[in-house]
Short mmCIF file of all heavy atoms in Angstrom, two decimals:
data_model
loop_
_atom_site.label_atom_id
_atom_site.label_comp_id
_atom_site.label_asym_id
_atom_site.label_seq_id
_atom_site.Cartn_x
_atom_site.Cartn_y
_atom_site.Cartn_z
N MET P 1 -0.01 6.27 -9.85
CA MET P 1 -0.14 7.13 -8.71
C MET P 1 1.00 8.13 -8.68
O MET P 1 2.14 7.75 -9.02
CB MET P 1 -0.12 6.35 -7.38
CG MET P 1 -1.25 5.37 -7.16
SD MET P 1 -2.85 6.11 -6.89
CE MET P 1 -2.67 7.07 -5.46
N PRO P 2 0.78 9.34 -8.30
CA PRO P 2 1.86 10.31 -8.15
C PRO P 2 2.85 9.86 -7.07
O PRO P 2 2.47 9.23 -6.07
CB PRO P 2 1.16 11.61 -7.72
CG PRO P 2 -0.27 11.43 -8.11
CD PRO P 2 -0.53 9.96 -8.05
N ASP P 3 4.11 10.18 -7.30
CA ASP P 3 5.15 9.67 -6.35
C ASP P 3 5.12 10.35 -5.00
O ASP P 3 5.72 9.86 -4.06
CB ASP P 3 6.53 9.75 -7.00
CG ASP P 3 6.92 11.16 -7.35
OD1 ASP P 3 6.13 12.11 -7.17
OD2 ASP P 3 8.07 11.34 -7.81
N HIS P 4 4.42 11.48 -4.84
CA HIS P 4 4.38 12.15 -3.55
C HIS P 4 3.30 11.59 -2.60
O HIS P 4 3.21 11.94 -1.47
CB HIS P 4 4.15 13.65 -3.74
CG HIS P 4 2.81 13.98 -4.31
ND1 HIS P 4 2.59 13.98 -5.69
CD2 HIS P 4 1.63 14.30 -3.73
CE1 HIS P 4 1.31 14.27 -5.91
NE2 HIS P 4 0.71 14.48 -4.72
N VAL P 5 2.45 10.67 -3.12
CA VAL P 5 1.39 10.05 -2.33
C VAL P 5 2.04 9.14 -1.27
O VAL P 5 2.99 8.40 -1.55
CB VAL P 5 0.44 9.23 -3.24
CG1 VAL P 5 -0.55 8.42 -2.45
CG2 VAL P 5 -0.27 10.17 -4.21
N THR P 6 1.51 9.21 -0.06
CA THR P 6 2.00 8.32 1.01
C THR P 6 1.32 6.98 0.98
O THR P 6 0.29 6.82 0.34
CB THR P 6 1.82 8.96 2.40
OG1 THR P 6 0.41 9.07 2.65
CG2 THR P 6 2.50 10.30 2.52
N VAL P 7 1.90 6.02 1.70
CA VAL P 7 1.31 4.69 1.79
C VAL P 7 -0.08 4.79 2.40
O VAL P 7 -1.02 4.13 1.91
CB VAL P 7 2.24 3.79 2.60
CG1 VAL P 7 1.56 2.44 2.89
CG2 VAL P 7 3.56 3.54 1.86
N THR P 8 -0.25 5.60 3.42
CA THR P 8 -1.57 5.76 4.03
C THR P 8 -2.59 6.30 3.06
O THR P 8 -3.74 5.83 3.01
CB THR P 8 -1.47 6.68 5.27
OG1 THR P 8 -0.57 6.09 6.23
CG2 THR P 8 -2.82 6.90 5.92
N GLU P 9 -2.23 7.30 2.29
CA GLU P 9 -3.14 7.85 1.25
C GLU P 9 -3.52 6.80 0.23
O GLU P 9 -4.67 6.75 -0.22
CB GLU P 9 -2.53 9.09 0.61
CG GLU P 9 -2.40 10.26 1.53
CD GLU P 9 -1.55 11.40 0.96
OE1 GLU P 9 -0.72 11.14 0.06
OE2 GLU P 9 -1.70 12.51 1.42
N LEU P 10 -2.54 6.01 -0.20
CA LEU P 10 -2.82 4.94 -1.17
C LEU P 10 -3.81 3.95 -0.60
O LEU P 10 -4.76 3.52 -1.29
CB LEU P 10 -1.54 4.26 -1.60
CG LEU P 10 -1.70 3.07 -2.55
CD1 LEU P 10 -2.39 3.48 -3.84
CD2 LEU P 10 -0.36 2.46 -2.83
N ILE P 11 -3.65 3.58 0.66
CA ILE P 11 -4.57 2.66 1.33
C ILE P 11 -5.96 3.23 1.35
O ILE P 11 -6.95 2.54 1.09
CB ILE P 11 -4.07 2.28 2.74
CG1 ILE P 11 -2.82 1.40 2.63
CG2 ILE P 11 -5.15 1.58 3.56
CD1 ILE P 11 -2.11 1.15 3.95
N ARG P 12 -6.10 4.54 1.66
CA ARG P 12 -7.42 5.17 1.66
C ARG P 12 -8.10 5.10 0.30
O ARG P 12 -9.28 4.80 0.19
CB ARG P 12 -7.31 6.65 2.10
CG ARG P 12 -7.11 6.83 3.55
CD ARG P 12 -7.20 8.31 3.89
NE ARG P 12 -6.58 8.51 5.20
CZ ARG P 12 -5.75 9.46 5.51
NH1 ARG P 12 -5.40 10.33 4.60
NH2 ARG P 12 -5.23 9.57 6.73
N VAL P 13 -7.33 5.38 -0.75
CA VAL P 13 -7.86 5.31 -2.10
C VAL P 13 -8.33 3.88 -2.43
O VAL P 13 -9.42 3.67 -2.96
CB VAL P 13 -6.84 5.81 -3.15
CG1 VAL P 13 -7.27 5.48 -4.55
CG2 VAL P 13 -6.55 7.28 -2.99
N LEU P 14 -7.49 2.91 -2.10
CA LEU P 14 -7.85 1.52 -2.39
C LEU P 14 -9.07 1.07 -1.61
O LEU P 14 -9.94 0.38 -2.15
CB LEU P 14 -6.65 0.62 -2.13
CG LEU P 14 -5.46 0.81 -3.08
CD1 LEU P 14 -4.27 -0.01 -2.58
CD2 LEU P 14 -5.84 0.41 -4.49
N ARG P 15 -9.14 1.46 -0.34
CA ARG P 15 -10.34 1.09 0.48
C ARG P 15 -11.58 1.64 -0.15
O ARG P 15 -12.61 0.96 -0.21
CB ARG P 15 -10.17 1.62 1.90
CG ARG P 15 -9.18 0.90 2.76
CD ARG P 15 -9.24 1.39 4.20
NE ARG P 15 -10.53 1.16 4.80
CZ ARG P 15 -10.92 0.01 5.33
NH1 ARG P 15 -10.10 -1.00 5.38
NH2 ARG P 15 -12.12 -0.10 5.86
N ARG P 16 -11.54 2.91 -0.61
CA ARG P 16 -12.72 3.53 -1.20
C ARG P 16 -13.09 2.78 -2.51
O ARG P 16 -14.27 2.54 -2.71
CB ARG P 16 -12.44 4.98 -1.51
CG ARG P 16 -13.41 5.95 -0.90
CD ARG P 16 -13.05 7.36 -1.20
NE ARG P 16 -11.60 7.47 -1.11
CZ ARG P 16 -10.87 8.50 -1.36
NH1 ARG P 16 -11.41 9.60 -1.78
NH2 ARG P 16 -9.56 8.51 -1.26
N ARG P 17 -12.13 2.53 -3.33
CA ARG P 17 -12.43 1.88 -4.63
C ARG P 17 -12.86 0.46 -4.48
O ARG P 17 -13.61 -0.05 -5.33
CB ARG P 17 -11.20 2.00 -5.54
CG ARG P 17 -10.97 3.43 -5.96
CD ARG P 17 -10.00 3.51 -7.03
NE ARG P 17 -9.83 4.94 -7.40
CZ ARG P 17 -9.14 5.33 -8.42
NH1 ARG P 17 -8.53 4.45 -9.22
NH2 ARG P 17 -9.02 6.61 -8.66
N LEU P 18 -12.43 -0.22 -3.41
CA LEU P 18 -12.84 -1.61 -3.19
C LEU P 18 -14.10 -1.69 -2.36
O LEU P 18 -14.60 -2.80 -2.11
CB LEU P 18 -11.70 -2.37 -2.48
CG LEU P 18 -10.42 -2.58 -3.30
CD1 LEU P 18 -9.33 -3.16 -2.43
CD2 LEU P 18 -10.70 -3.49 -4.48
N ASN P 19 -14.61 -0.54 -1.91
CA ASN P 19 -15.82 -0.50 -1.08
C ASN P 19 -15.74 -1.42 0.14
O ASN P 19 -16.64 -2.23 0.41
CB ASN P 19 -17.05 -0.86 -1.91
CG ASN P 19 -17.36 0.18 -2.96
OD1 ASN P 19 -17.20 1.38 -2.71
ND2 ASN P 19 -17.75 -0.29 -4.12
N LEU P 20 -14.63 -1.34 0.84
CA LEU P 20 -14.45 -2.17 2.05
C LEU P 20 -15.31 -1.67 3.19
O LEU P 20 -15.49 -0.45 3.39
CB LEU P 20 -12.97 -2.17 2.47
CG LEU P 20 -12.01 -2.81 1.49
CD1 LEU P 20 -10.58 -2.76 2.03
CD2 LEU P 20 -12.39 -4.25 1.15
N ALA P 21 -15.83 -2.59 3.95
CA ALA P 21 -16.63 -2.23 5.11
C ALA P 21 -15.74 -1.64 6.18
O ALA P 21 -14.55 -1.92 6.25
CB ALA P 21 -17.31 -3.49 5.66
N PRO P 22 -16.31 -0.77 7.06
CA PRO P 22 -15.55 -0.16 8.12
C PRO P 22 -14.89 -1.19 9.05
O PRO P 22 -13.83 -0.94 9.62
CB PRO P 22 -16.54 0.66 8.90
CG PRO P 22 -17.64 0.94 7.94
CD PRO P 22 -17.69 -0.27 7.03
N GLY P 23 -15.49 -2.34 9.18
CA GLY P 23 -14.93 -3.40 10.07
C GLY P 23 -13.93 -4.31 9.39
O GLY P 23 -13.62 -5.38 9.91
N GLN P 24 -13.40 -3.92 8.24
CA GLN P 24 -12.45 -4.75 7.55
C GLN P 24 -11.13 -4.01 7.45
O GLN P 24 -11.04 -2.91 6.89
CB GLN P 24 -12.96 -5.10 6.16
CG GLN P 24 -12.18 -6.15 5.43
CD GLN P 24 -12.86 -6.61 4.18
OE1 GLN P 24 -13.68 -5.93 3.61
NE2 GLN P 24 -12.48 -7.80 3.74
N ALA P 25 -10.07 -4.60 8.01
CA ALA P 25 -8.72 -4.02 7.96
C ALA P 25 -8.11 -4.32 6.60
O ALA P 25 -8.37 -5.34 5.98
CB ALA P 25 -7.86 -4.61 9.06
N PHE P 26 -7.28 -3.40 6.15
CA PHE P 26 -6.61 -3.53 4.85
C PHE P 26 -5.15 -3.14 5.01
O PHE P 26 -4.87 -2.05 5.53
CB PHE P 26 -7.30 -2.62 3.83
CG PHE P 26 -6.78 -2.75 2.43
CD1 PHE P 26 -7.20 -3.77 1.61
CD2 PHE P 26 -5.83 -1.85 1.97
CE1 PHE P 26 -6.69 -3.89 0.32
CE2 PHE P 26 -5.34 -1.95 0.68
CZ PHE P 26 -5.76 -2.97 -0.14
N PHE P 27 -4.23 -3.97 4.58
CA PHE P 27 -2.81 -3.74 4.76
C PHE P 27 -2.08 -3.84 3.42
O PHE P 27 -2.40 -4.70 2.61
CB PHE P 27 -2.18 -4.76 5.70
CG PHE P 27 -2.84 -4.84 7.05
CD1 PHE P 27 -3.81 -5.81 7.31
CD2 PHE P 27 -2.49 -3.93 8.03
CE1 PHE P 27 -4.41 -5.87 8.55
CE2 PHE P 27 -3.10 -3.99 9.27
CZ PHE P 27 -4.04 -4.95 9.54
N LEU P 28 -1.13 -2.98 3.18
CA LEU P 28 -0.23 -3.09 2.05
C LEU P 28 1.12 -3.56 2.57
O LEU P 28 1.62 -3.06 3.57
CB LEU P 28 -0.04 -1.74 1.34
CG LEU P 28 -1.09 -1.31 0.37
CD1 LEU P 28 -0.72 0.00 -0.29
CD2 LEU P 28 -1.34 -2.33 -0.69
N LEU P 29 1.68 -4.54 1.89
CA LEU P 29 2.93 -5.12 2.31
C LEU P 29 3.92 -5.14 1.14
O LEU P 29 3.55 -5.26 -0.02
CB LEU P 29 2.73 -6.56 2.75
CG LEU P 29 1.67 -6.78 3.85
CD1 LEU P 29 1.19 -8.18 3.86
CD2 LEU P 29 2.26 -6.38 5.18
N SER P 30 5.19 -5.01 1.47
CA SER P 30 6.25 -5.14 0.49
C SER P 30 7.05 -6.37 0.85
O SER P 30 6.76 -7.05 1.82
CB SER P 30 7.12 -3.90 0.48
OG SER P 30 7.84 -3.77 1.67
N ASP P 31 8.09 -6.63 0.10
CA ASP P 31 8.94 -7.80 0.42
C ASP P 31 9.57 -7.68 1.81
O ASP P 31 9.87 -8.68 2.45
CB ASP P 31 10.06 -7.96 -0.61
CG ASP P 31 9.53 -8.53 -1.91
OD1 ASP P 31 8.49 -9.22 -1.89
OD2 ASP P 31 10.18 -8.34 -2.96
N ARG P 32 9.76 -6.47 2.26
CA ARG P 32 10.39 -6.24 3.59
C ARG P 32 9.37 -6.12 4.71
O ARG P 32 9.75 -5.84 5.84
CB ARG P 32 11.21 -4.96 3.55
CG ARG P 32 12.40 -5.07 2.60
CD ARG P 32 13.22 -3.86 2.66
NE ARG P 32 14.29 -3.92 1.66
CZ ARG P 32 15.13 -2.92 1.44
NH1 ARG P 32 15.07 -1.84 2.13
NH2 ARG P 32 16.06 -3.07 0.52
N GLY P 33 8.11 -6.26 4.40
CA GLY P 33 7.08 -6.17 5.43
C GLY P 33 6.17 -4.98 5.24
O GLY P 33 5.95 -4.52 4.13
N LEU P 34 5.66 -4.47 6.33
CA LEU P 34 4.70 -3.36 6.33
C LEU P 34 5.47 -2.04 6.24
O LEU P 34 6.18 -1.68 7.15
CB LEU P 34 3.86 -3.43 7.61
CG LEU P 34 2.66 -2.56 7.73
CD1 LEU P 34 1.61 -2.93 6.72
CD2 LEU P 34 2.08 -2.66 9.13
N PRO P 35 5.32 -1.30 5.14
CA PRO P 35 6.02 -0.02 5.04
C PRO P 35 5.36 1.03 5.96
O PRO P 35 4.16 0.99 6.20
CB PRO P 35 5.88 0.37 3.57
CG PRO P 35 4.67 -0.38 3.10
CD PRO P 35 4.56 -1.61 3.92
N PRO P 36 6.14 2.01 6.41
CA PRO P 36 5.58 3.09 7.22
C PRO P 36 4.51 3.86 6.45
O PRO P 36 4.66 4.13 5.26
CB PRO P 36 6.77 3.99 7.55
CG PRO P 36 7.97 3.19 7.22
CD PRO P 36 7.58 2.18 6.21
N GLY P 37 3.43 4.22 7.13
CA GLY P 37 2.36 4.95 6.46
C GLY P 37 2.75 6.32 5.94
O GLY P 37 2.15 6.83 5.04
N THR P 38 3.77 6.92 6.55
CA THR P 38 4.22 8.23 6.15
C THR P 38 5.20 8.21 4.98
O THR P 38 5.54 9.25 4.43
CB THR P 38 4.89 8.98 7.31
OG1 THR P 38 5.99 8.18 7.78
CG2 THR P 38 3.89 9.22 8.44
N GLN P 39 5.66 7.03 4.60
CA GLN P 39 6.59 6.90 3.47
C GLN P 39 5.88 7.20 2.15
O GLN P 39 4.76 6.73 1.90
CB GLN P 39 7.16 5.49 3.46
CG GLN P 39 8.30 5.31 2.53
CD GLN P 39 8.94 3.94 2.66
OE1 GLN P 39 8.28 2.94 2.92
NE2 GLN P 39 10.25 3.89 2.55
N THR P 40 6.54 7.98 1.28
CA THR P 40 5.93 8.26 -0.03
C THR P 40 6.17 7.06 -0.95
O THR P 40 7.08 6.27 -0.72
CB THR P 40 6.54 9.53 -0.65
OG1 THR P 40 7.91 9.28 -0.96
CG2 THR P 40 6.35 10.76 0.22
N LEU P 41 5.38 7.03 -2.03
CA LEU P 41 5.59 5.94 -3.01
C LEU P 41 6.97 6.07 -3.68
O LEU P 41 7.57 5.06 -4.01
CB LEU P 41 4.49 5.95 -4.03
CG LEU P 41 3.09 5.65 -3.48
CD1 LEU P 41 2.07 5.66 -4.60
CD2 LEU P 41 3.05 4.37 -2.72
N ALA P 42 7.46 7.30 -3.83
CA ALA P 42 8.80 7.49 -4.41
C ALA P 42 9.86 6.87 -3.49
O ALA P 42 10.78 6.20 -3.97
CB ALA P 42 9.08 8.96 -4.63
N GLU P 43 9.76 7.13 -2.20
CA GLU P 43 10.70 6.55 -1.24
C GLU P 43 10.60 5.03 -1.21
O GLU P 43 11.63 4.32 -1.15
CB GLU P 43 10.44 7.10 0.15
CG GLU P 43 10.72 8.58 0.28
CD GLU P 43 10.19 9.18 1.56
OE1 GLU P 43 9.29 8.61 2.20
OE2 GLU P 43 10.68 10.28 1.92
N LEU P 44 9.38 4.51 -1.25
CA LEU P 44 9.16 3.06 -1.22
C LEU P 44 9.75 2.44 -2.49
O LEU P 44 10.45 1.43 -2.43
CB LEU P 44 7.67 2.76 -1.10
CG LEU P 44 7.29 1.30 -0.98
CD1 LEU P 44 7.94 0.67 0.28
CD2 LEU P 44 5.78 1.16 -0.95
N TRP P 45 9.52 3.09 -3.65
CA TRP P 45 10.06 2.57 -4.91
C TRP P 45 11.58 2.58 -4.86
O TRP P 45 12.21 1.61 -5.26
CB TRP P 45 9.59 3.43 -6.09
CG TRP P 45 10.10 2.90 -7.40
CD1 TRP P 45 9.52 1.94 -8.17
CD2 TRP P 45 11.31 3.27 -8.03
NE1 TRP P 45 10.28 1.69 -9.29
CE2 TRP P 45 11.42 2.48 -9.22
CE3 TRP P 45 12.33 4.18 -7.77
CZ2 TRP P 45 12.49 2.61 -10.09
CZ3 TRP P 45 13.37 4.28 -8.62
CH2 TRP P 45 13.43 3.51 -9.80
N GLU P 46 12.17 3.65 -4.35
CA GLU P 46 13.64 3.77 -4.31
C GLU P 46 14.27 2.64 -3.49
O GLU P 46 15.31 2.10 -3.85
CB GLU P 46 14.03 5.15 -3.72
CG GLU P 46 15.50 5.42 -3.78
CD GLU P 46 16.05 5.48 -5.20
OE1 GLU P 46 15.37 6.02 -6.08
OE2 GLU P 46 17.15 4.97 -5.39
N SER P 47 13.62 2.29 -2.41
CA SER P 47 14.21 1.27 -1.51
C SER P 47 13.84 -0.15 -1.87
O SER P 47 14.53 -1.07 -1.48
CB SER P 47 13.84 1.57 -0.06
OG SER P 47 12.46 1.45 0.12
N GLU P 48 12.74 -0.32 -2.64
CA GLU P 48 12.25 -1.71 -2.80
C GLU P 48 11.83 -2.11 -4.21
O GLU P 48 11.24 -3.14 -4.40
CB GLU P 48 11.05 -1.92 -1.86
CG GLU P 48 11.43 -1.68 -0.41
CD GLU P 48 10.46 -2.24 0.53
OE1 GLU P 48 9.82 -3.29 0.20
OE2 GLU P 48 10.29 -1.69 1.61
N HIS P 49 12.18 -1.29 -5.23
CA HIS P 49 11.76 -1.69 -6.57
C HIS P 49 12.49 -2.91 -7.08
O HIS P 49 13.62 -3.17 -6.62
CB HIS P 49 11.87 -0.49 -7.55
CG HIS P 49 13.31 -0.15 -7.91
ND1 HIS P 49 14.08 0.64 -7.10
CD2 HIS P 49 14.04 -0.52 -8.97
CE1 HIS P 49 15.26 0.77 -7.65
NE2 HIS P 49 15.28 0.09 -8.79
N ASP P 50 11.86 -3.62 -7.95
CA ASP P 50 12.44 -4.83 -8.53
C ASP P 50 13.43 -4.46 -9.64
O ASP P 50 13.41 -3.33 -10.12
CB ASP P 50 11.30 -5.68 -9.08
CG ASP P 50 11.75 -7.09 -9.37
OD1 ASP P 50 12.18 -7.78 -8.46
OD2 ASP P 50 11.61 -7.52 -10.55
N GLU P 51 14.24 -5.37 -10.02
CA GLU P 51 15.22 -5.09 -11.09
C GLU P 51 14.56 -4.77 -12.44
O GLU P 51 15.18 -4.16 -13.31
CB GLU P 51 16.23 -6.23 -11.27
CG GLU P 51 15.58 -7.55 -11.63
CD GLU P 51 16.56 -8.70 -11.60
OE1 GLU P 51 17.47 -8.72 -10.75
OE2 GLU P 51 16.43 -9.59 -12.47
N ASP P 52 13.28 -5.14 -12.57
CA ASP P 52 12.58 -4.82 -13.80
C ASP P 52 11.99 -3.40 -13.77
O ASP P 52 11.35 -2.95 -14.74
CB ASP P 52 11.47 -5.82 -14.12
CG ASP P 52 10.35 -5.85 -13.07
OD1 ASP P 52 10.32 -5.02 -12.14
OD2 ASP P 52 9.48 -6.75 -13.18
N GLY P 53 12.21 -2.67 -12.66
CA GLY P 53 11.78 -1.28 -12.54
C GLY P 53 10.41 -1.08 -11.92
O GLY P 53 9.96 0.04 -11.73
N PHE P 54 9.71 -2.18 -11.64
CA PHE P 54 8.39 -2.12 -11.02
C PHE P 54 8.47 -2.26 -9.52
O PHE P 54 9.37 -2.92 -8.99
CB PHE P 54 7.44 -3.18 -11.59
CG PHE P 54 7.01 -2.92 -12.98
CD1 PHE P 54 7.66 -3.50 -14.04
CD2 PHE P 54 5.92 -2.11 -13.24
CE1 PHE P 54 7.27 -3.27 -15.34
CE2 PHE P 54 5.49 -1.89 -14.53
CZ PHE P 54 6.17 -2.47 -15.60
N LEU P 55 7.53 -1.64 -8.84
CA LEU P 55 7.38 -1.81 -7.39
C LEU P 55 6.23 -2.77 -7.16
O LEU P 55 5.10 -2.52 -7.58
CB LEU P 55 7.07 -0.45 -6.70
CG LEU P 55 6.73 -0.52 -5.22
CD1 LEU P 55 7.95 -1.02 -4.42
CD2 LEU P 55 6.29 0.83 -4.75
N TYR P 56 6.53 -3.88 -6.52
CA TYR P 56 5.49 -4.89 -6.26
C TYR P 56 5.08 -4.80 -4.79
O TYR P 56 5.93 -4.85 -3.89
CB TYR P 56 6.03 -6.30 -6.57
CG TYR P 56 6.29 -6.49 -8.02
CD1 TYR P 56 7.58 -6.34 -8.54
CD2 TYR P 56 5.26 -6.77 -8.92
CE1 TYR P 56 7.83 -6.50 -9.92
CE2 TYR P 56 5.49 -6.94 -10.27
CZ TYR P 56 6.78 -6.81 -10.75
OH TYR P 56 7.04 -6.96 -12.10
N VAL P 57 3.79 -4.64 -4.56
CA VAL P 57 3.25 -4.64 -3.23
C VAL P 57 2.13 -5.66 -3.17
O VAL P 57 1.52 -6.01 -4.20
CB VAL P 57 2.72 -3.24 -2.79
CG1 VAL P 57 3.86 -2.28 -2.60
CG2 VAL P 57 1.68 -2.71 -3.74
N PHE P 58 1.86 -6.13 -1.99
CA PHE P 58 0.86 -7.15 -1.76
C PHE P 58 -0.16 -6.57 -0.78
O PHE P 58 0.15 -5.66 -0.03
CB PHE P 58 1.50 -8.42 -1.19
CG PHE P 58 2.71 -8.85 -1.96
CD1 PHE P 58 3.97 -8.41 -1.62
CD2 PHE P 58 2.57 -9.64 -3.07
CE1 PHE P 58 5.10 -8.79 -2.32
CE2 PHE P 58 3.71 -10.00 -3.80
CZ PHE P 58 4.95 -9.58 -3.43
N TYR P 59 -1.34 -7.14 -0.79
CA TYR P 59 -2.32 -6.64 0.20
C TYR P 59 -2.87 -7.82 1.00
O TYR P 59 -2.83 -8.97 0.57
CB TYR P 59 -3.46 -5.92 -0.52
CG TYR P 59 -4.41 -6.81 -1.29
CD1 TYR P 59 -5.55 -7.31 -0.69
CD2 TYR P 59 -4.13 -7.13 -2.63
CE1 TYR P 59 -6.43 -8.12 -1.42
CE2 TYR P 59 -4.99 -7.92 -3.31
CZ TYR P 59 -6.14 -8.45 -2.74
OH TYR P 59 -6.98 -9.24 -3.42
N ALA P 60 -3.34 -7.47 2.14
CA ALA P 60 -4.02 -8.44 3.04
C ALA P 60 -5.21 -7.73 3.64
O ALA P 60 -5.12 -6.56 4.01
CB ALA P 60 -3.07 -8.93 4.11
N ALA P 61 -6.30 -8.45 3.77
CA ALA P 61 -7.50 -7.87 4.41
C ALA P 61 -7.90 -8.85 5.53
O ALA P 61 -7.72 -10.06 5.43
CB ALA P 61 -8.61 -7.75 3.40
N GLN P 62 -8.46 -8.27 6.59
CA GLN P 62 -8.85 -9.12 7.72
C GLN P 62 -10.07 -8.46 8.37
O GLN P 62 -10.14 -7.29 8.54
CB GLN P 62 -7.73 -9.20 8.72
CG GLN P 62 -8.05 -10.02 9.93
CD GLN P 62 -6.83 -10.09 10.90
OE1 GLN P 62 -5.73 -9.71 10.55
NE2 GLN P 62 -7.09 -10.59 12.05
N GLU P 63 -11.04 -9.31 8.73
CA GLU P 63 -12.20 -8.84 9.45
C GLU P 63 -11.83 -8.55 10.89
O GLU P 63 -11.04 -9.29 11.48
CB GLU P 63 -13.32 -9.87 9.44
CG GLU P 63 -13.87 -10.19 8.07
CD GLU P 63 -14.67 -9.06 7.48
OE1 GLU P 63 -15.25 -8.25 8.25
OE2 GLU P 63 -14.69 -8.94 6.25
N TYR P 64 -12.33 -7.49 11.43
CA TYR P 64 -12.11 -7.17 12.84
C TYR P 64 -13.35 -6.48 13.39
O TYR P 64 -14.17 -5.96 12.67
CB TYR P 64 -10.85 -6.32 13.07
CG TYR P 64 -10.95 -4.90 12.63
CD1 TYR P 64 -11.36 -3.90 13.52
CD2 TYR P 64 -10.64 -4.52 11.33
CE1 TYR P 64 -11.44 -2.57 13.12
CE2 TYR P 64 -10.75 -3.20 10.92
CZ TYR P 64 -11.16 -2.24 11.83
OH TYR P 64 -11.25 -0.92 11.42
N PHE P 65 -13.43 -6.47 14.70
CA PHE P 65 -14.59 -5.81 15.35
C PHE P 65 -14.03 -4.78 16.32
O PHE P 65 -13.03 -5.00 16.96
CB PHE P 65 -15.40 -6.87 16.11
CG PHE P 65 -15.92 -7.97 15.23
CD1 PHE P 65 -15.25 -9.17 15.15
CD2 PHE P 65 -16.99 -7.77 14.45
CE1 PHE P 65 -15.69 -10.19 14.35
CE2 PHE P 65 -17.47 -8.76 13.64
CZ PHE P 65 -16.83 -9.98 13.57
N GLY P 66 -14.73 -3.66 16.41
CA GLY P 66 -14.25 -2.67 17.36
C GLY P 66 -14.87 -1.34 17.26
O GLY P 66 -15.50 -0.82 16.55
#
């Protein structure tokens, strides 16, 4: 992914590629918790990359109604 992409934009791309239903929430998490949606991937990498040079993020999905 380009480093100027925000966390929110990355979530949109992943939701589309995973074909998630509108009623399913999707979250990206780092070791420090939920990163701000306006943070770019470059900023996230700078603050949270591993010593091996990779940025590790985790995801969580949850069904919701609304």
Side-chain angles (χ1 to χ4, degrees):
M1 294 294 299
D3 61 357
H4 66 275
V5 171
T6 65
V7 171
T8 299
E9 291 169 337
L10 177 59
I11 290 171
R12 283 188 198 135
V13 169
L14 292 172
R15 286 186 62 82
R16 236 179 319 176
R17 291 191 179 188
L18 294 171
N19 293 321
L20 295 180
Q24 191 170 22
F26 183 83
F27 304 97
L28 277 183
L29 305 159
S30 68
D31 285 337
R32 295 183 186 176
L34 190 65
T38 57
Q39 189 173 37
T40 66
L41 295 182
E43 293 167 340
L44 185 60
W45 182 87
E46 187 63 40
S47 65
E48 302 197 31
H49 71 277
D50 195 58
E51 60 188 35
D52 65 6
F54 287 95
L55 173 64
Y56 294 98
V57 292
F58 311 93
Y59 72 93
Q62 179 179 349
E63 296 290 333
Y64 72 93
F65 302 98

